[in-house]
Amino acid sequence: MTTRVAELRQAETARLVDHLTGELARAGVTHMFGVGGANIEDLYDAVHRGGAIRGVVAKHEFSAVTMADGYARTTGRLGVVAATSGGGAMNLVPGLAEAYASRVPVLALVGQPPTGQEGHGAFQDSSGKAGSFDAREVFAPVSRFCARVDDPDSLTELLPRAVAAAQADPRGPAVLLLPKDVQQARIRVPARDAAPTHDPAPPPTPGGRATASSPRLDTAAVGAVSDALRGAGRVLVIAGEDVAAADARAELAELARRLGAWVAVTPDAKDVFDNRDPRFAGVAGVMGHANVEDCLRRADLCVLVGTRLPLLARGGLDRALAATDVVCLGLEPPFVAATALGGNLRDALRAVTAPLPSHPRPCPPHSGPLPTPMPAPRVQSPARTVPHGQAVAAVEAALPQDAHVFVDAGNTGASAVHLLPAPRHGRFVVAVGMGGMGYTFGAGIGAALATGRRTYVLAGDGAFFMHGMEVHTAVEYAAPVTFVIFNNNAHAMCALREEFLQGGVRSDDLFARTDIAAGVAAAFPSLAATGATDAAHLRTALLRSNAGGGPAFVAVDCDPWEIPPFLPFQSFTEITDGTEHKESSDERAVVHVG
C-alpha cells in the first residue's frame, strides 16, 4: 500500500468521538457538561482537541445534568452531559428525570466498560450480562430514546435519532451508552469530518424547536376554540412553561390584548408574561395569589396556554375550574376537562387570535397579585433573622432586568415564586418536574456560561448542603452567577409539615446554626462571599455582584418557623380578621403536595 493510499483511507475515517463532537458542534452545541472518568475520557479528549465545544467539569453528575438543563432552558439549544460508567452514570438519573418531566431537551453520553469485558466481571459492568444490571433498563424510563452503541459504525444512525428524539415533542432526554473501545474506534465518515476543528453551527430557530414542518392544526378544534373565545365576555388565561419553550410570548400577549383577558401564570412560567402588565393576575396554584381564583370565578372562559395545569398549578382552583368553561392550547392534553387544540403552540395561538377583532379590549378591574398575608410564626423567631419578604424585596431591588433567575425547592422557592417579579428579559426557572433540591446550582451555572448573563440562584441551606459545592465550578469557570442562600438552618418545609401534621414531636429537620458565608469565603478566597445581616446589607451585596464579572455568594439568615405562602399550610392555618384559627379538611379541601 502506498503512503498516498493510506493517507486517503485515513482521511475517510475518524475516531468515533471526534465525529460525535463534530456533529454536536454542527447542531449548535457550544458546551458539554459532565464529570470525567476512565470510560468517558476519550470523549473529553475529542472535545479538547476539537475546540468547537467547551468542556465544563462539574463536581457531581446530577449537577452536570442540571447544567445541561439550564443551558437548554435559556438558549433553546440541545443540552449535553457526559459521564463515566458505574456510579457516575447512576448519578445522572435524577437530573434526567427532571428533564423528562419538564420536557427539556438533553443528550446524555454515558461511558461503559469495553465490550470485550462485558459479562466477564468488568468493573462497573452494566451490560445486562452475567448477572449485571442493564443500564438501558435504568435510563429508558427517564428518556425519549436510549440505545447502546455496540457497533461503532451505527453511531452515524443512532446519533441523529437521539438528537431528533430529544428535540421532538414532547421533548426530553436522549441517552447513548458508549463502551470505551467503541469511543476509540475509527469509523467511516463524510470527508468533512476528517478535520474535527470547525466553527459551531448558527443558533437554532427561536424557541429551539425543530425546523421541520409542524402537523396541521385540527380545523374543527380551531373552530371550536375560536367560537368560545369570540363568545366569552370575561376571560382568564393561565399560561405555562411551554410558552417559553415555544418562544410564544408575543403571541400570548397579543391574544390577551385582543381578549382584554386577565393573565395568570403557572409557578414554573413567571417569565412568559410581563409581571408588571395591568392584565397580570398573578401565579396560579399552591404558591400563587388569591386574585387568580377570584378572576377565575368571575370569568366566562378559562384559556390554558402551554400548560396541562398539574396539581401545583391548579391547587385551590378545582372547584372554580369545574364551574367554568375551559379551552386548552398545548401539545399535550390537560389534566382538567377542556376543549383542547393540540399542535404547535405558536401556530395554535395565531390561528385562534386571527379571527378576533384587532383593536384591544379593556381588561376588567381586578386586585392584581397581592401577596397573601401569612400568620406570625408559632415558635419564637431566632434573633437577627431577615423575613423572607424583606429578603425577596432586596433581591427584586437589585435584580437586573436581563438576568436569569433559578429558584430552588422549599420555603425559599415558595416565597420567591409568590413575591419576586420575573425579570422582563430573562428566564425565571423553577424545576417542578421532580422538584429536586439543589437543582439550581448546576442549572444556574449552565445558563450563565451559555448566555454570559448575570444569573441569580435562590436557594435554601438544605439545597446548598446537597449540591452547593458547584460554587467551585462557578469559581473555576468565572461564571457570572450570584448565589443567594436563605439560611434558616433547617429543612424548614419539612419541619413545618411535622408541626402541622404530626404535632411537632420531632426535631430531625432543625439544625445547629451554620455560618455558610464564612465557610464559603474560607474555601474560596477569590470569591466575594458576604453574610448579609439585614435586607439593606443584602441589597448592597447583590448590587456589588452585578458590577462584577464572575460569581458572588451571599447568605442571609432566615427564620425556620416563618410560614411561607404555600397553600397546603394555609389549609391548616388561616388569618381571619387578624386572628388565627384552624380549619378541618371538611370545611376546606386540604391540598396535598409533596
Side-chain angles (χ1 to χ4, degrees):
M1 181 185 299
T2 67
T3 301
R4 178 58 179 163
V5 171
E7 289 175 351
L8 287 173
R9 291 188 177 180
Q10 182 78 359
E12 294 171 355
T13 67
R15 280 193 310 170
L16 179 144
V17 287
D18 293 323
H19 171 72
L20 173 55
T21 56
E23 289 301 294
L24 291 177
R26 268 186 283 276
V29 173
T30 58
H31 292 70
M32 183 182 80
F33 306 94
V35 180
N39 286 328
I40 201 65
E41 63 190 2
D42 297 286
L43 178 61
Y44 279 93
D45 177 69
V47 167
H48 175 74
R49 291 175 183 272
I53 296 176
R54 186 183 190 189
V56 177
V57 177
K59 308 288 91 62
H60 192 280
E61 291 83 1
F62 169 78
S63 290
V65 181
T66 66
M67 288 178 194
D69 178 303
Y71 171 102
R73 294 198 204 215
T74 52
T75 67
R77 300 178 188 270
L78 177 71
V80 178
V81 61
T84 193
S85 51
M90 296 303 100
N91 286 340
L92 297 173
V93 172
L96 294 177
E98 170 60 40
Y100 183 95
S102 292
R103 311 306 194 240
V104 181
V106 171
L107 174 64
L109 304 171
V110 186
Q112 296 287 277
T115 54
Q117 297 179 10
E118 292 174 350
H120 297 284
F123 179 57
Q124 299 179 332
D125 191 355
S126 57
S127 65
K129 300 175 181 177
S132 65
F133 71 88
D134 191 337
R136 287 172 294 191
E137 296 180 359
V138 174
F139 290 112
V142 292
S143 64
R144 306 295 177 192
F145 179 88
C146 180
R148 185 187 299 272
V149 185
D150 290 317
D151 174 15
D153 287 320
S154 68
L155 181 78
T156 56
E157 173 202 352
L158 293 174
L159 178 60
R161 289 177 60 190
V163 171
Q167 295 181 316
D169 294 317
R171 302 190 301 174
V175 179
L176 289 178
L177 303 170
L178 301 166
K180 183 174 178 66
D181 56 318
V182 170
Q183 296 176 52
Q184 296 172 328
R186 299 194 73 85
I187 60 175
R188 296 181 65 86
V189 295
R192 66 181 185 182
D193 289 332
T197 302
H198 44 263
D199 294 328
T205 55
R209 301 313 233 184
T211 55
S213 58
S214 302
R216 292 178 62 87
L217 299 174
D218 181 86
T219 304
V222 171
V225 171
S226 297
D227 289 344
L229 294 177
R230 285 195 298 266
R234 292 177 173 175
V235 178
L236 171 66
V237 173
I238 303 179
E241 164 66 14
D242 279 352
V243 174
D247 193 27
R249 292 178 178 84
E251 289 80 4
L252 170 66
E254 180 62 16
L255 176 67
R257 188 185 74 87
R258 295 198 189 189
L259 289 173
W262 302 300
V263 180
V265 295
T266 58
D268 58 339
K270 285 202 75 171
D271 59 20
V272 304
F273 191 81
D274 186 352
N275 293 185
R276 299 159 184 84
D277 190 291
R279 299 178 180 86
F280 183 61
V283 177
V286 299
M287 292 173 269
H289 300 96
N291 181 55
V292 175
E293 181 180 2
D294 180 62
C295 290
L296 180 58
R297 293 188 183 281
R298 296 165 58 196
D300 303 308
L301 181 69
C302 178
V303 182
L304 308 181
V305 179
T307 177
R308 304 177 73 189
L309 213 63
L311 182 59
L312 280 178
R314 74 173 190 274
L317 301 178
D318 280 315
R319 291 180 182 175
L321 284 165
T324 308
D325 290 334
V326 180
V327 299
C328 178
L329 312 182
L331 294 164
E332 298 179 81
F335 294 115
V336 297
T339 299
L341 172 58
N344 180 277
L345 186 58
R346 295 176 79 183
D347 291 347
L349 281 165
R350 290 168 178 169
V352 301
T353 302
L356 298 173
S358 60
H359 58 275
R361 283 170 54 182
C363 176
H366 64 115
S367 63
L370 298 176
T372 300
M374 300 304 298
R378 294 171 173 274
V379 180
Q380 183 175 357
S381 302
R384 296 182 63 83
T385 59
V386 178
H388 277 83
Q390 292 181 19
V392 171
V395 173
E396 180 183 358
L399 184 67
Q401 287 304 300
D402 63 347
H404 301 304
V405 178
F406 284 78
V407 176
D408 221 293
N411 287 2
T412 296
S415 297
V417 169
H418 192 78
L419 297 171
L420 181 62
R424 284 191 170 93
H425 308 295
R427 292 300 324 268
F428 189 107
V429 177
V430 186
V432 298
M434 289 288 105
M437 291 172 65
Y439 160 88
T440 57
F441 292 92
I445 292 170
L449 291 176
T451 66
R453 295 191 195 180
R454 176 59 52 181
T455 300
Y456 274 49
V457 165
L458 309 182
D461 54 305
F464 171 80
F465 285 121
M466 288 190 178
H467 292 286
M469 281 300 99
E470 294 301 335
V471 169
H472 179 275
T473 308
V475 171
E476 286 291 302
Y477 293 91
V481 182
T482 299
F483 300 96
V484 187
I485 309 303
F486 296 70
N487 180 17
N488 51 31
N489 296 291
H491 288 165
M493 187 166 281
C494 295
L496 287 170
R497 288 182 62 85
E498 291 153 14
E499 167 72 14
F500 287 131
L501 300 174
Q502 299 175 335
V505 296
R506 295 190 285 121
S507 59
D508 311 49
D509 290 301
L510 299 172
F511 313 132
R513 184 181 183 275
T514 304
D515 190 341
I516 295 177
V520 168
F524 306 105
S526 66
L527 176 65
T530 304
T533 55
D534 55 33
H537 190 190
L538 173 60
R539 177 178 178 273
T540 299
L542 296 177
L543 289 171
R544 188 165 55 243
S545 81
N546 297 342
F553 188 97
V554 187
V556 58
D557 284 348
C558 298
D559 181 359
W561 296 112
E562 182 180 350
I563 300 171
F566 191 55
L567 188 58
F569 295 156
Q570 297 172 45
S571 301
F572 294 99
T573 303
E574 298 285 341
I575 299 180
T576 302
D577 297 327
T579 61
E580 298 181 35
H581 71 277
K582 288 269 191 176
E583 285 188 343
S584 74
S585 58
D586 292 331
E587 293 172 313
R588 173 173 177 155
V590 175
V591 179
H592 295 281
V593 179

